[in-house]
Amino acid sequence: MSNFILCLKTAVKNTRISVYSHREQLYLNTIRHTDEELSQFNSVNDQFAWRRDIVLKELEKGGFSLDRIGIIACKGGVIKPLDGGVYQINEAMIKDLARPMADHESNLGVMIAIEISRMDGQNIPAVIVEPSSVDELDDIARISGIPEISRKSLLHTLSQRSVAIDFARANGRNYEDINVIVAHMGTGITVGAHRHGRIVDVNNGLAGDGPMSPLRAGSLPVAQLIKLAYSGKFTYDQLMRRVCGNGGIRAYLGTSNALTIEQRIKEGDKEAELVYRAMAYQVAKEIASMSAVLMGQVDGIVLTGGLAYSRLLVDEITQRVLHLAEVVVYPGENEMKTLAASGYMVLNGEVQPKEYI
C-alpha cells in the first residue's frame, strides 16, 4: 500500500493541498481565491464541486494518482461538539455535514476528502484532525448569563493545539504538563486557555464572542445589537453576515487585507490606525481574561496565524500582556505538517482514529 499522505485544508480565501511521504513534504500549493471568484456562489457549500476540481487538478499536476495515496488527512469541519483527536470520516459525519451547524469553509475539505477517497473504486482511508468543533470547556465556562444560551466552543483547534505542543517541546516540557494561552489570528480570531492538554475555555470565533477580527464582529453590546435586529434595517441573513463575514475590520475600513491597512497607516490614515490598534487591544483583553481562567498560572502566551506576521499588531498585543507571561510568536501556521504527522501515525498503527457517532 502507498504511504503517500494527502493533506487538505479549505479556508475562506484559499485551498491548500500538500502530499507527504512519511514525514517528508513532497508537494505543497496554496490556491488563493479572489472575491470575484467567490462571488459567483450563493453559499459556501455551493463551492464544493469547484474546489474539488481544483484539488484534483493539483494532484494531476503533481503527478499523484489516487492509487498512490495511502490516507487523506484534513482539517475537520464545524460538526457536533467532540473531544480533540483524529476521527475517521464515516457515514454519521457525512450525514451531519449534509445539514451543517454552520456554512463554513472547513466543511468543504471533509466533503472533498470523502469523495476523493471513493473515486475510481478506491477505498482510501480518510480522517479529520482536531476539528473546529472540539469542545473541552470546563462546565463553568459554558454559563452565559441567560439559561437559554450556552457558550459554545468553536475555534482554530488544529492551529492552536499544534503551536501549543511546539511551545511545550521548545521548553523541554510536555503539552500535558503546561498552561498556555494561544491566540490564533486570521480571518477569525480565537484565544484559548490550554490547561494540561485540554482547551478549557475559548471564545467562539465564528459568530459568537471575543475580539473583532478582519471579517467578524466579535463581542457586541447586547442591548444595541437587539435594537439593531428589530430596527427593520436588516433581514436575519443580512445581520448574520454583518456579524460574520462583513463585520470587524472590513466593516470599518472596507478591506480585510492587513497589508493594505498597514500601508494606509504608514500614509497617515488615523482611522485605519485606530481600528487596527483596537483589534490588537481586544485580543490583549481576551488573553488577559484567559489568564484569570488559568488562575494566573501561565507558562507562556503564543501568538499565531497569518496576522502574527504583522509586527505592528504583535507589538501592540505584547505590550499589553507581557506582564502575564513570556510572549512567543509562531507566525503563519504549521497545520499541514500536523495533518501529515497524524496521517502517518494512523498509517503506521500508532494512532487509532476515533469513531464519530
Side-chain angles (χ1 to χ4, degrees), residues 115-167:
E115 179 149 328
I116 290 177
S117 74
R118 295 173 174 178
M119 281 183 171
D120 301 331
Q122 302 286 326
N123 187 23
I124 304 170
V127 297
I128 64 170
V129 181
E130 300 289 3
S132 303
S133 55
V134 162
D135 184 348
E136 299 170 345
L137 298 188
D138 284 342
D139 287 341
I140 199 169
R142 303 182 191 280
I143 305 299
S144 71
I146 298 179
E148 292 84 359
I149 298 175
S150 177
R151 291 188 64 242
K152 298 182 183 299
S153 175
L154 281 172
L155 71 152
H156 304 89
T157 321
L158 182 62
S159 170
Q160 285 213 23
R161 190 97 71 189
S162 63
V163 296
I165 292 170
D166 285 348
F167 171 81

Side-chain angles (χ1 to χ4, degrees), residues 67-338:
D67 59 5
R68 301 178 69 191
I69 305 297
I71 191 168
I72 304 172
C74 63
K75 181 178 179 179
V78 182
I79 46 181
K80 67 178 63 172
L82 70 177
D83 284 338
V86 180
Y87 288 81
Q88 188 83 33
I89 300 176
N90 58 15
E91 294 302 325
M93 189 181 299
I94 295 167
K95 185 178 178 181
D96 282 352
L97 284 168
R99 52 178 197 283
M101 293 172 54
D103 193 29
H104 194 264
E105 290 77 12
S106 61
N107 294 339
L108 295 172
V110 187
M111 295 161 63
I112 292 168
I114 194 62
E115 179 149 328
I116 290 177
S117 74
R118 295 173 174 178
M119 281 183 171
D120 301 331
Q122 302 286 326
N123 187 23
I124 304 170
V127 297
I128 64 170
V129 181
E130 300 289 3
S132 303
S133 55
V134 162
D135 184 348
E136 299 170 345
L137 298 188
D138 284 342
D139 287 341
I140 199 169
R142 303 182 191 280
I143 305 299
S144 71
I146 298 179
E148 292 84 359
I149 298 175
S150 177
R151 291 188 64 242
K152 298 182 183 299
S153 175
L154 281 172
L155 71 152
H156 304 89
T157 321
L158 182 62
S159 170
Q160 285 213 23
R161 190 97 71 189
S162 63
V163 296
I165 292 170
D166 285 348
F167 171 81
R169 287 174 177 164
N171 286 275
R173 303 179 67 184
N174 295 319
Y175 172 55
E176 293 76 16
D177 298 328
I178 66 166
N179 291 339
V180 63
I181 299 169
V182 181
H184 175 100
M185 304 181 297
T187 53
I189 295 175
T190 57
V191 181
H194 298 238
R195 186 182 65 217
H196 296 169
R198 294 180 67 81
I199 306 171
V200 296
D201 201 351
V202 68
N203 65 293
N204 175 349
L206 180 57
D209 52 8
M212 72 172 174
S213 77
L215 295 177
R216 296 164 192 169
S219 297
L220 295 168
V222 176
Q224 291 169 253
L225 180 61
I226 293 172
K227 185 176 180 180
L228 190 63
Y230 281 89
S231 68
K233 296 179 180 179
F234 298 94
T235 65
Y236 171 85
D237 288 338
Q238 287 171 339
L239 190 54
M240 285 299 293
R241 288 297 295 169
R242 190 67 166 169
V243 169
C244 180
N246 290 320
I249 295 292
R250 176 186 276 179
Y252 282 97
L253 303 179
T255 179
S256 59
N257 188 299
L259 294 177
T260 300
I261 294 166
E262 292 198 19
Q263 184 58 40
R264 285 168 57 174
I265 293 171
K266 287 179 182 177
E267 294 170 357
D269 188 328
K270 295 301 181 184
E271 182 187 11
E273 181 180 6
L274 177 62
V275 173
Y276 203 55
R277 288 183 62 223
M279 181 170 66
Y281 174 85
Q282 292 179 19
V283 172
K285 282 175 66 176
E286 195 72 19
I287 289 171
S289 73
M290 293 303 167
S291 174
V293 170
L294 298 174
M295 298 185 177
Q297 302 300 308
V298 184
D299 294 302
I301 298 166
V302 180
L303 307 180
T304 191
L307 288 177
Y309 283 111
S310 170
R311 192 73 258 166
L312 188 91
L313 198 71
V314 166
D315 286 349
E316 183 77 24
I317 295 168
T318 301
Q319 289 174 26
R320 295 183 180 276
V321 301
L322 191 57
H323 65 286
L324 300 173
E326 172 193 16
V327 179
V328 178
V329 183
Y330 291 127
E333 46 86 4
N334 61 359
E335 292 176 320
M336 304 309 274
K337 182 182 75 173
T338 304

